[in-house]
Amino acid sequence: MTWNELKDFCNSLPESFLEKNVIMWREEECISDISARQLEQDHYIESGVDEGCYPEHEAIEKVNASPEEYPNGLSDLRKCYDKGHPILEEN
């Protein structure tokens, strides 16, 4: 889902639902304490991996701690989200 699709969905809701809490429905649980924000830094992930991204300051620490594993610094990691990217998160 894109943010545009989410916006269109929200705009299609009856006014009475717009004051209700947002619920993220998962297989066995509901997440109802959700907040929205924008990322304060770029986020990076290991190349060839699909989970476990971390903010730029942690990525820099990671590459500085293992220069032999990351000879090209941050270029050896893949940027997965840009600074300012909107996210929803569980509180």
Side-chain angles (χ1 to χ4, degrees), residues 17-39:
F17 283 102
L18 295 177
E19 295 299 320
K20 297 184 180 290
N21 284 345
V22 173
I23 298 172
M24 172 77 82
W25 196 270
R26 295 181 65 169
E27 290 182 29
E28 300 285 329
E29 65 180 327
C30 299
I31 302 170
S32 59
D33 190 7
I34 298 170
S35 62
R37 68 179 179 96
Q38 290 179 276
L39 294 176

Side-chain angles (χ1 to χ4, degrees), residues 2-88:
T2 67
W3 286 96
N4 221 11
E5 291 168 330
L6 181 59
K7 179 181 174 184
D8 289 344
F9 173 76
C10 291
N11 287 335
S12 73
L13 291 173
E15 199 68 28
S16 60
F17 283 102
L18 295 177
E19 295 299 320
K20 297 184 180 290
N21 284 345
V22 173
I23 298 172
M24 172 77 82
W25 196 270
R26 295 181 65 169
E27 290 182 29
E28 300 285 329
E29 65 180 327
C30 299
I31 302 170
S32 59
D33 190 7
I34 298 170
S35 62
R37 68 179 179 96
Q38 290 179 276
L39 294 176
E40 296 176 6
Q41 299 180 41
D42 291 338
H43 277 60
Y44 292 83
I45 193 167
E46 298 281 342
S47 295
V49 177
D50 291 329
E51 57 184 52
C53 68
Y54 28 89
E56 184 173 38
H57 75 276
E58 288 180 24
I60 290 170
E61 289 174 12
K62 184 177 188 68
V63 299
N64 288 341
S66 301
E68 66 286 343
E69 191 175 343
Y70 306 101
N72 300 311
L74 282 181
S75 298
D76 288 328
L77 300 175
R78 180 172 50 96
K79 188 191 316 184
C80 52
Y81 301 109
D82 292 320
K83 176 181 178 180
H85 192 99
I87 62 167
L88 299 176

